[in-house]
Amino acid sequence: MQAMIDQARPNDTVTIPYGLYKGPIRITKPIQLVANDPVKIINPTEEEATLTIESDNVSVQGIHIVDKRINSDVAAVVIRGDQNFLENVIVETKGIGIQLRQADYNTLHNVQVIGKIKGDGSPTTSSGHNHGAQPEVKPKQTEKAKRGNGIDVRESDHNRFIKNQVTNVEDGFYVENSDRNHLEQNLVTNSRYGYHFMGTSDTTVINNIGMENVTGSQLMESRKLTVTGNQFLKQQKNPGSQGILLITVQDTLIANNTIEGNRVGLYLEQSSGITVKNNLLSLNFIGMQFLSSSDNVLTDNQFVSNVIQAQAQDSQNNNLNKNYWDNLQGLDVNGDSRSDLPYEMNPFYLGLTDAVPAYQLFFQAPGFVFLEGLFTSGAGSAIKDASPLMQPSDTVLIESGQTSGWGAGILGLLLLIGSCSIIYIGVRKS
């Protein structure tokens, strides 16, 4: 295959015949590399990537890459160029799947990255070596293979990742010091972090799925991210698993996401300027946690069937309004479908279990519930929803120019008359 690539002129299309090929392969000029029939490339070397792109305007379509190296710092596929296009590519790896390094305006579409290391690694007899060792030193047969990131992006901007699938790796997408990237309709499963962002800005994460990872999406030391329309489901593999985790994040939008079945649905720590809007947080152990976070806005979210709806500690000046809490004991006096009683988050349980984690065993024990009431009685709460919804927002119907106050009043009067009649009849019989 390398000979065919070397003989091609810039902008040529190289069609690879059906077969099994040996890597490594290096592309250093703008060409189209196309496999219409099944084509597999296996990397037997210990140093180089199976496929390296060191050019702009390269297109690679339809190839299947198998990288058998373990614990290498170099991915199966390395891109060091701009405006390249990968489509319908399968990467099987025992390390890192794809690396982008100082690579801008590239597109990865319908790419699959499949990690071949079970769990956190297992003893292997495969050839390969640790790049921290001398090249001539062979690994021991008991060397423990470690999972690498699926798609690893560093110092690379304006890239698009569309409809890719990543499974059984360290982090599905790891994006560091890279801005204005776009992730849409991707799927990450059985990994540590599904989508991991470090030191990024102006990145969009839209309509992706993270399922059965340790954490669905982790945002750290980043700003101006847009996270909308995603599904973060069943992150339960660790006591600290979260659907979405934000640490030291500013000016970010979290909207229209489904966050379901996680240990913690949404977690904010040392974050500010976050807008959380129109999300569904359901069936989580803890729906939402705030720690040392302030000046955030949460509105029109739905908290349904979480064991603990929300907790907050050392978090002030957050604006919660018009969220739906299915355990709300509310009172709608004027019929505007909002409770005139606030929904308050109680920091007691979070503060106590942080100090003594073993106290989690006493969750919802009668003594804990009693202490919780004493702790907040007359003291207020760190965070509260001042005007919670009485019903989920998608079922609230208010016609313009009309209110439900009269209907509610008539119904209440009928119930009162009925109750009095029952009591009166019961008294007379006695």
Side-chain angles (χ1 to χ4, degrees), residues 49 106 115 145 149 161 220 224 262 272-273 309 319 337 355-356:
N106 299 282
N149 296 328
F161 304 94
M220 295 186 66
K224 294 185 177 180
N262 307 285
S272 61
Q309 296 282 42
N319 181 10
S337 299
V356 185

Side-chain angles (χ1 to χ4, degrees), residues 33 35 41 80 112 125 140 161 200 219 234 290 306 311 350 352 403 407 412 414:
L33 187 66
I41 307 173
R80 297 192 187 95
Q112 295 184 51
T125 58
K140 297 179 180 179
F161 304 94
T200 71
L219 288 59
K234 299 181 181 179
F290 275 23
N306 303 293
Q311 296 176 331
L350 178 61
L352 201 58
T403 67
L414 291 174

Side-chain angles (χ1 to χ4, degrees), residues 28-40:
T28 58
K29 52 192 167 186
I31 63 170
Q32 292 185 350
L33 187 66
V34 179
N36 294 323
D37 297 315
V39 169
K40 184 177 291 187

Side-chain angles (χ1 to χ4, degrees), residues 314-375:
D314 300 326
S315 298
Q316 305 296 332
N317 301 322
N318 294 288
N319 181 10
L320 277 75
N321 192 30
K322 296 195 304 179
N323 301 286
Y324 173 73
W325 315 83
D326 69 347
N327 63 338
L328 168 71
Q329 296 180 353
L331 177 64
D332 182 7
V333 175
N334 57 9
D336 64 354
S337 299
R338 303 181 192 178
S339 173
D340 295 286
L341 300 177
Y343 183 91
E344 299 194 29
M345 299 185 188
N346 195 330
F348 175 77
Y349 180 79
L350 178 61
L352 201 58
T353 55
D354 274 353
V356 185
Y359 286 168
Q360 294 181 40
L361 295 172
F362 299 105
F363 173 69
Q364 293 290 48
F368 251 50
V369 174
F370 176 72
L371 290 174
E372 231 172 16
L374 291 178
F375 182 77

Side-chain angles (χ1 to χ4, degrees), residues 225-421:
L225 278 72
T226 299
V227 182
T228 62
N230 305 282
Q231 298 181 56
F232 299 108
L233 313 172
K234 299 181 181 179
Q235 271 67 224
Q236 302 172 345
K237 295 185 176 182
N238 188 285
S241 290
Q242 300 95 0
I244 306 179
L245 167 65
L246 287 77
I247 300 180
T248 321
V249 176
Q250 288 81 38
D251 306 324
T252 288
L253 174 64
I254 309 292
N256 302 310
N257 302 287
T258 298
I259 307 170
E260 182 176 293
N262 307 285
R263 179 74 177 178
V264 178
L266 175 64
Y267 180 91
L268 274 69
E269 181 176 335
Q270 297 180 3
S271 296
S272 61
I274 311 300
T275 298
V276 182
K277 185 175 182 179
N278 289 328
N279 300 283
L280 171 63
L281 297 97
S282 65
L283 300 172
N284 305 288
F285 181 71
I286 301 175
M288 177 178 67
Q289 273 188 339
F290 275 23
L291 179 61
S292 303
S293 295
S294 59
D295 301 312
N296 302 293
V297 176
L298 291 92
T299 183
D300 295 310
N301 302 286
Q302 298 185 32
F303 293 81
V304 179
S305 299
N306 303 293
V307 177
I308 303 173
Q309 296 282 42
Q311 296 176 331
Q313 187 176 17
D314 300 326
S315 298
Q316 305 296 332
N317 301 322
N318 294 288
N319 181 10
L320 277 75
N321 192 30
K322 296 195 304 179
N323 301 286
Y324 173 73
W325 315 83
D326 69 347
N327 63 338
L328 168 71
Q329 296 180 353
L331 177 64
D332 182 7
V333 175
N334 57 9
D336 64 354
S337 299
R338 303 181 192 178
S339 173
D340 295 286
L341 300 177
Y343 183 91
E344 299 194 29
M345 299 185 188
N346 195 330
F348 175 77
Y349 180 79
L350 178 61
L352 201 58
T353 55
D354 274 353
V356 185
Y359 286 168
Q360 294 181 40
L361 295 172
F362 299 105
F363 173 69
Q364 293 290 48
F368 251 50
V369 174
F370 176 72
L371 290 174
E372 231 172 16
L374 291 178
F375 182 77
T376 57
S377 179
S381 175
I383 296 182
K384 67 180 180 181
D385 190 332
S387 185
L389 296 177
M390 296 294 292
Q391 301 177 22
S393 57
D394 58 347
T395 62
V396 175
L397 300 174
I398 303 177
E399 297 180 3
S400 60
Q402 299 181 9
T403 67
S404 60
W406 286 105
I410 292 172
L411 179 60
L413 181 60
L414 291 174
L415 290 173
L416 179 61
I417 293 173
S419 300
C420 292
S421 299

Side-chain angles (χ1 to χ4, degrees), residues 77-108:
V77 178
V78 176
I79 301 174
R80 297 192 187 95
D82 302 336
Q83 297 181 324
N84 298 294
F85 182 71
L86 268 65
E87 185 177 42
N88 298 327
V89 172
I90 300 174
V91 179
E92 296 184 32
T93 178
K94 293 185 177 180
I96 305 170
I98 300 172
Q99 288 175 330
L100 277 70
R101 295 293 184 266
Q102 298 181 340
D104 303 332
Y105 295 99
N106 299 282
T107 298
L108 274 63

